[in-house]
Amino acid sequence: MILVIAEQRDGVLHQASWEAVVAAQRTTQAVQVLVAGSGVMSVAEDLATADIDSVLMIDHPLLEAYTPDGFIEAISQVVRSMSPDAVFLAHTYQSREFAPRLAARFQQTLVTDCVATKQVGDRLVFVRPMFQGKFVADVAPVALSPCFASFQIGAFRQDAVVRGSDSAAIYPQEVVIQDDMIRQEVEPPFQEAKQAVDLSQAERIVAVGRGIKSKDHIELVERLAAALGAEVAASRPICDSGWLPMDRQIGSSGQTVSPKLYLALGISGAIQHLVGMKGSRTIVAVNKDPDAPIFEVADFGIVGDLFEVVPAIISALSE
Amino acid sequence: MKIAVCVKQVVTRDWPLRINDSHTWVDDRDASFEMNEPDAYALEEALRLKEQHGGEVVVCSAGPPRVNQVIREALARGADRAIHVEAESLASADGAMVAEALAAPMEEEQFDLVLTGLQSDDQGFAQTGVVLAEFLSIPHATIIMEVQVGAGRVRVKRELEGGWFQWVSMSTPALLTIQSGINQLRYATLKGIMAAKKKEVRLVEPPAELARRQEILMLSVPERTKEIRLFDGAPAEAAGKLVQALKDDARVI
């Protein structure tokens, strides 16, 4: 049996949880889904529409706000009593925080950021990127069960979830948690001052990555953007270095965009960046490394030095 | 305050990587190596906390002898001393194995704060720090963008998805995984490099029963699922063809 741990906040299901359900449904095993929180009946009912054996619900006032200590304690009690063969999660910021430690409680390891599963003999094998997406690896936990895996957001389509003809049964789970087990004290989530730039509305975007090498060269990118009538954006390292403001960042920690044209200059294409732009209609990549993962999502590409190619594009546009 | 920083040595970002003959790891025999970038931000944060609050910064790393390079670099940037859990078997170890290797010598030290980068540039499992917190039985928080230290407590700004953040407080000792971009990195000065040569690096053997928790059965180059049109030739020629295609075929300009 595969136990999928769904994620919710304030009674709203994280959409990537459906993708983890799809990953589980694609295996040959029975599927149960666990949701933890406080006042999560409606989330459990939503999950019960999937074609799964049952929904397990942990409803506890101490789980109203997510804390790693509270969730690890509660979920580990249910995992122990259910003895699943595998535990699946979506590779969200939240699961990255608690799931490795949950797995460690079972002397196990979490296989993170998986994009597919394979059954090899009696072993469940996980496919995941390595080396920033340059390679892909088949990985298997050494100990058999329960194995723990999290799935990259977007690796499975949420709308591929198989719905059941009837609602699955919902089983409330009794867990023992006390105040003093939870060492983290959390404050309400907040957003920084409203973003000045809404890149999601841009028709064309010129984005720049590490290949630009220095803040002094950003001007070259701005000239190309002006010639194309495009907004300037960047991958995370450029904003980390302060070469462009944070509100120009595309990717999992920045904005998600799908313009008509996305021109990626000197961006290798780590998954954290790709998730923010792979929905773009036409993607152009310029990179000196022919093996850069950005070329896997690009429609058009030039393998070359951006300091030669970009001025050439600017002059071709003016002709 | 006694602060530990865990750093990993990884193959240099621009190194042209090849898969090894057994298809289980990369051929890194001639590769150049560097400090895992998120760990460099964790180190910088530790140095800043020491400057504000006093104390010492201890670099902890697990890996083969070559790892000494990044340990020396961290010492040159300002860390006070180092612990190196040394074994060839740690060269391609998974995050849980690394955490287990580091746990025993780190537990003895009774650190107030343990910082790690949020993930590694090579395997990218994003779990060494979290699992280490479990081995050390201390609370943790991940993907941290700001650290405030008070008496026996830390208050940290945790990055959530989609531009959201959250403040979380906990008592120390605690472990934090640090997000890239939390600060601006400093580089080693010549004086720092000279001083690093005299700093202590304690070599420690890993626990005898240490074993891999997951294995890489096969490493391969991803299959391209999307058709791509590559424009070659001199820059002017390639750029001309690209602009033509954007106008006539994609019709986006």
Side-chain angles (χ1 to χ4, degrees), chain A residues 14 93 97 101 105 109-110 123 131 136 138 140 142 185 190 204 210 236 240 272 297 299 301, chain B residues 37 119 122 127 134 138 140 142 161 165 169 180 184 213-215 217-218 220 226 229 231 252:
Chain A
H14 194 305
Y93 276 36
E97 181 163 81
R101 196 164 181 162
R105 292 257 159 112
T109 174
L110 174 72
R123 220 170 173 193
F131 292 90
V136 60
D138 289 357
V142 172
E185 199 179 304
F190 63 95
R204 299 178 200 87
R210 286 176 196 274
R236 176 147 192 146
D240 283 350
Q272 295 92 323
V297 299
D299 302 279
Chain B
E37 189 177 76
Q119 63 188 22
D122 53 4
Q127 63 177 311
E134 175 71 5
I138 59 176
H140 79 284
T142 56
E161 284 154 5
F165 296 89
S169 311
S180 297
Q184 294 296 311
R213 299 286 185 91
Q214 46 186 287
E215 49 186 325
L217 305 175
M218 193 178 73
S220 52
K226 194 168 168 179
R229 263 168 74 189
F231 303 107
V252 289

Side-chain angles (χ1 to χ4, degrees), chain B residues 26-139:
Chain B
V26 292
D27 183 355
D28 58 9
R29 280 172 299 184
D30 306 317
S32 70
F33 292 90
E34 63 185 2
M35 190 184 300
N36 180 46
E37 189 177 76
D39 300 345
Y41 285 100
L43 170 64
E44 178 62 42
E45 196 59 24
L47 295 173
R48 286 173 189 225
L49 290 172
K50 180 193 154 184
E51 283 158 8
Q52 283 169 31
H53 304 281
E56 97 176 307
V57 173
V58 182
V59 180
C60 304
S61 190
R66 61 169 159 79
V67 168
N68 190 259
Q69 173 224 353
V70 294
I71 290 175
R72 287 293 164 195
E73 190 186 329
L75 294 172
R77 288 191 198 184
D80 297 288
R81 60 187 173 90
I83 296 170
H84 179 180
V85 181
E86 194 192 70
E88 278 300 334
S89 63
L90 287 163
S92 59
D94 57 83
M97 183 178 175
V98 170
E100 190 174 358
L102 290 170
M106 288 184 70
E107 186 154 35
E108 280 168 27
E109 293 271 355
Q110 302 277 308
F111 291 110
D112 297 304
L113 203 56
V114 179
L115 305 186
T116 72
L118 85 163
Q119 63 188 22
S120 61
D121 286 343
D122 53 4
Q123 300 202 50
F125 278 113
Q127 63 177 311
T128 304
V130 180
V131 176
L132 181 59
E134 175 71 5
F135 279 119
L136 298 175
S137 306
I138 59 176

Side-chain angles (χ1 to χ4, degrees), chain A residues 236-269:
Chain A
R236 176 147 192 146
I238 300 303
C239 302
D240 283 350
S241 305
W243 298 351
L244 278 172
M246 277 290 177
D247 60 7
R248 297 262 166 196
Q249 189 200 144
I250 305 291
S252 55
S253 51
Q255 301 194 47
T256 300
V257 296
S258 47
K260 286 199 306 199
L261 172 64
Y262 192 92
L263 217 157
L265 305 172
I267 291 178
S268 67

Side-chain angles (χ1 to χ4, degrees), chain B residues 98-229:
Chain B
V98 170
E100 190 174 358
L102 290 170
M106 288 184 70
E107 186 154 35
E108 280 168 27
E109 293 271 355
Q110 302 277 308
F111 291 110
D112 297 304
L113 203 56
V114 179
L115 305 186
T116 72
L118 85 163
Q119 63 188 22
S120 61
D121 286 343
D122 53 4
Q123 300 202 50
F125 278 113
Q127 63 177 311
T128 304
V130 180
V131 176
L132 181 59
E134 175 71 5
F135 279 119
L136 298 175
S137 306
I138 59 176
H140 79 284
T142 56
I143 320 189
I144 299 306
M145 282 300 280
E146 193 176 333
V147 182
Q148 298 174 348
V149 172
R153 277 187 91 70
V154 280
R155 181 169 178 261
V156 297
K157 185 175 156 189
R158 188 177 154 238
E159 187 179 301
L160 309 178
E161 284 154 5
W164 287 78
F165 296 89
Q166 177 178 45
W167 286 96
V168 182
S169 311
M170 69 202 92
S171 57
T172 53
L175 183 142
L176 309 172
T177 79
I178 301 295
Q179 169 68 297
S180 297
I182 183 175
N183 48 40
Q184 294 296 311
L185 300 178
R186 77 187 68 188
Y187 292 93
T189 59
L190 186 61
K191 194 171 151 226
I193 294 166
M194 297 308 289
K197 292 184 176 157
K198 295 193 214 77
K199 290 176 178 173
E200 179 205 356
V201 179
R202 182 156 68 94
L203 288 178
V204 180
E205 292 213 1
E209 69 282 8
L210 185 71
R212 232 165 247 287
R213 299 286 185 91
Q214 46 186 287
E215 49 186 325
I216 300 170
L217 305 175
M218 193 178 73
L219 196 63
S220 52
V221 175
E223 279 173 39
R224 203 161 267 175
T225 48
K226 194 168 168 179
E227 280 285 315
I228 179 171
R229 263 168 74 189

